[in-house]
Amino acid sequence: MAAKYFNTEHVHPYSYDQVAHAIFQRYPNPFASHVLSEDTVYREIINGTTLYSRRFLTKTNKIPKWGERWLSGFRRSVPLLEESYVDSEQKTITIYTRNVGYSNFMTAIEKVVYKACPCNPNHTVALKQAWVESNFYGLRSAIKNFGIERFKNNCVKATDGFNHVLERIQIQQNSLREMGHVKLAEFQQRKDHLKLQYNEKVETIKEKSSAQWIHAKETAKTAKDTAKESAKKSAEAAVETAKKGAEIVKASATVLAEEKIED
């Protein structure tokens, strides 16, 4: 008997880059209380363009009321294997999820492909598919129908939960961006204030240096004028002294000449 198949398409009102940034932050969220744990066990880069990740999830394993009579011995949680491929070149994210326990009861394989919406680059399309099979004799059809219905309900919760996470991250980024703008404005204001202080200090130093230069220039000029005047006076005094000396010598010579005439 073939597996039961279902597919649906959901749209996230966020760009592909935003979805890719948050793809591994989907849990926890208020719509995913059925997800109990998540652990990343392996990662590698394929062909230099694709990030491959392998994670183990644990989710609650709700049993339908009509099956409690036969399935009461099953645990209330089930381990799941999630394998994802984030292709940076093709800009697609492909996630496969399957249960690794209770395969006799039900085997469920889910596939989700995220890609940019062709009609709106600010939106991301999620194509979701599910295959459900069961080997449980007597309840096979009922179990497959149950698995598909649960997948339908979980699809809505998964989309709502992921949108909640995307919104939270966007709010955080906007807050950080606004904080960055505020800090940048504060830094610019501080920078302008320091620049003003520096310019004022430079102007003060220039004015002080100019005043000192003018004072030194005036002092030098005064000293020069004083020295010049002093030299002039000294020269005049020397000329006067020489003149007086010459007059004395002349007078002495005249006296001597007169004395000789008398003799």
Side-chain angles (χ1 to χ4, degrees):
M1 186 177 292
K4 195 170 182 66
Y5 173 77
F6 174 79
N7 71 82
T8 184
E9 187 176 283
H10 290 196
V11 177
H12 297 280
Y14 298 90
S15 69
Y16 172 81
D17 289 340
Q18 289 175 295
V19 169
H21 175 75
I23 195 66
F24 297 114
Q25 303 178 55
R26 304 192 304 278
Y27 313 115
N29 69 71
F31 300 90
S33 57
H34 62 291
V35 179
L36 304 178
S37 66
E38 55 175 335
D39 296 285
T40 301
V41 296
Y42 181 75
R43 269 190 178 141
E44 69 169 319
I45 302 295
I46 301 175
N47 298 327
T49 61
T50 303
L51 172 63
Y52 168 77
S53 300
R54 186 184 305 142
R55 307 199 305 165
F56 279 106
L57 308 177
T58 304
K59 298 184 179 182
T60 57
N61 186 33
K62 185 178 180 181
I63 296 176
K65 289 184 179 181
W66 52 260
E68 290 179 354
R69 177 180 175 183
W70 296 278
L71 307 174
S72 58
F74 282 83
R75 292 178 58 185
R76 293 297 185 263
S77 63
V78 59
L80 305 173
L81 174 64
E82 177 190 277
E83 295 179 285
S84 61
Y85 300 83
V86 182
D87 191 330
S88 60
E89 186 175 32
Q90 298 297 325
K91 285 190 172 296
T92 60
I93 302 170
T94 305
I95 300 177
Y96 296 92
T97 306
R98 61 182 176 87
N99 59 301
V100 292
Y102 312 116
S103 57
N104 288 332
F105 168 61
M106 182 175 69
T107 299
I109 299 175
E110 301 175 8
K111 178 183 178 182
V112 184
V113 179
Y114 297 92
K115 58 184 178 181
C117 178
C119 302
N120 188 340
N122 293 321
H123 288 181
T124 302
V125 175
L127 176 61
K128 303 187 177 188
Q129 300 170 278
W131 296 263
V132 178
E133 181 59 282
S134 175
N135 295 323
F136 202 91
Y137 182 77
L139 295 174
R140 186 178 297 160
S141 295
I143 290 173
K144 288 195 289 185
N145 289 333
F146 164 74
I148 290 298
E149 290 303 315
R150 183 170 67 178
F151 174 75
K152 291 179 182 179
N153 293 331
N154 286 343
C155 275
V156 176
K157 291 181 180 179
T159 298
D160 291 341
F162 197 14
N163 283 340
H164 175 84
V165 171
L166 289 165
E167 181 182 10
R168 184 186 66 209
I169 293 175
Q170 186 177 52
I171 291 173
Q172 291 174 346
Q173 290 177 338
N174 290 340
S175 297
L176 289 174
R177 194 176 294 110
E178 290 175 2
M179 187 181 299
H181 290 159
V182 171
K183 291 297 182 182
L184 181 61
E186 291 178 353
F187 172 77
Q188 188 63 43
Q189 185 178 9
R190 177 65 176 168
K191 180 182 176 182
D192 292 342
H193 180 66
L194 290 174
K195 186 177 180 180
L196 180 62
Q197 286 184 326
Y198 171 79
N199 290 337
E200 290 177 349
K201 190 172 183 179
V202 168
E203 288 298 323
T204 301
I205 293 174
K206 287 172 65 176
E207 290 176 359
K208 187 175 181 180
S209 299
S210 178
Q212 289 176 341
W213 168 250
I214 292 172
H215 178 70
K217 189 176 180 181
E218 291 177 350
T219 301
K221 184 180 179 182
T222 301
K224 184 179 178 181
D225 292 342
T226 302
K228 187 176 180 181
E229 185 66 25
S230 179
K232 183 179 179 181
K233 289 181 178 180
S234 297
E236 290 177 350
V239 170
E240 186 66 27
T241 301
K243 186 177 180 181
K244 287 181 179 180
E247 290 177 352
I248 292 172
V249 170
K250 184 178 180 180
S252 297
T254 302
V255 171
L256 289 174
E258 290 177 352
E259 289 178 355
K260 285 181 178 182
I261 291 172
E262 289 178 358
D263 291 340

